[in-house]
Amino acid sequence: MNTKELLLSVLMGGPATGYDIKKTMENEVSTLLDVSLSNLYPALNELAAEGLVTYRKVEQDSRPNKKVYELTEAGRAACLKALMSGDARHRLRSEFIFILSFAPFLPRWRVKELLDHRLADTNETLRDLDRREAEETLQEGQKFCIGFGRAMMEAQRDYILKHGAELLSSCPEDVPLAMVSHG
């Protein structure tokens, strides 16, 4: 999905300020997709010009006015069309996995560091999923996605815990400094 389609999908949840949309993109959408926030406001302005969103200005005391954006019927239709026609690809792209494919050449401490960091990140993601799951206003699709994410994170954690020691035992204790020095 492109940036404008992602913005429309965020607004399917209801009216939101640009700041709220940005936070949703950073905290929720970016955990699932690569998103670029650099053109968020120009894209919202384009969506408004295309009649896919409307906005109303809200005055604030001693702060700049804010805009609250909302989908139009045409915007809802455009969002649904994008969701219906998307490929829904599911890819595994991971620097973690790529680097670990070179574990036989890395010192054991580095591989352990990578595994420990991944476990910590996984546990943090699981805590975040717990927090999201506790929200009372979740729709069935959101519940499914949280459960799907949980299953992936738990499988990742369990795999590292079950096979990490085996990987570590295959790594050299250390790598000669000459192999690591920069030029």
Side-chain angles (χ1 to χ4, degrees):
M1 296 181 81
N2 64 40
T3 301
K4 291 190 327 187
E5 292 168 341
L6 290 173
L7 293 172
L8 292 173
S9 70
V10 169
L11 288 169
M12 287 286 278
T17 65
Y19 177 80
D20 293 333
I21 294 168
K22 182 178 180 208
K23 286 297 170 198
T24 299
M25 295 283 278
E26 287 174 344
N27 297 330
E28 296 176 28
V29 177
S30 69
T31 64
L32 301 172
L33 302 170
D34 290 329
V35 296
S36 170
L37 298 176
S38 61
N39 62 347
L40 180 118
Y41 290 101
L44 284 168
N45 289 333
E46 288 176 29
L47 290 169
E50 294 168 15
L52 301 177
V53 301
T54 59
Y55 63 87
R56 60 179 163 49
K57 290 184 180 179
V58 176
E59 292 186 26
Q60 302 183 98
D61 292 333
S62 67
R63 294 172 70 189
N65 294 344
K66 65 182 178 181
K67 293 180 182 176
V68 177
Y69 296 88
E70 187 170 0
L71 280 180
T72 63
E73 283 305 312
R76 183 175 298 282
C79 182
L80 291 172
K81 180 180 177 187
L83 292 170
M84 295 290 286
S85 62
D87 289 337
R89 294 179 304 263
H90 183 75
R91 293 182 233 156
L92 180 62
R93 300 179 68 149
S94 167
E95 289 180 27
F96 168 74
I97 292 173
F98 177 76
I99 291 172
L100 283 185
S101 71
F102 294 93
F105 307 104
L106 297 173
R108 191 171 298 143
W109 66 264
R110 174 62 175 147
V111 174
K112 182 170 180 356
E113 177 182 72
L114 290 165
L115 292 173
D116 289 347
H117 189 266
R118 185 76 239 134
L119 277 173
D121 283 351
T122 299
N123 287 329
E124 179 61 32
T125 300
L126 286 167
R127 284 189 293 277
D128 184 53
L129 291 172
D130 288 342
R131 179 191 57 76
R132 290 183 188 182
E133 202 167 40
E135 295 174 9
E136 295 179 13
T137 59
L138 292 176
Q139 299 169 352
E140 286 306 313
Q142 293 168 315
K143 290 177 187 177
F144 178 89
C145 292
I146 288 170
F148 190 81
R150 176 181 307 290
M152 291 190 314
M153 291 293 104
E154 288 173 348
Q156 177 176 246
R157 179 198 61 208
D158 295 347
Y159 192 87
I160 291 170
L161 292 173
K162 184 175 182 178
H163 300 283
E166 184 181 333
L167 178 64
L168 287 170
S169 70
S170 74
C171 299
E173 186 62 40
D174 210 352
V175 175
L177 205 51
M179 292 179 71
V180 183
S181 67
H182 295 76

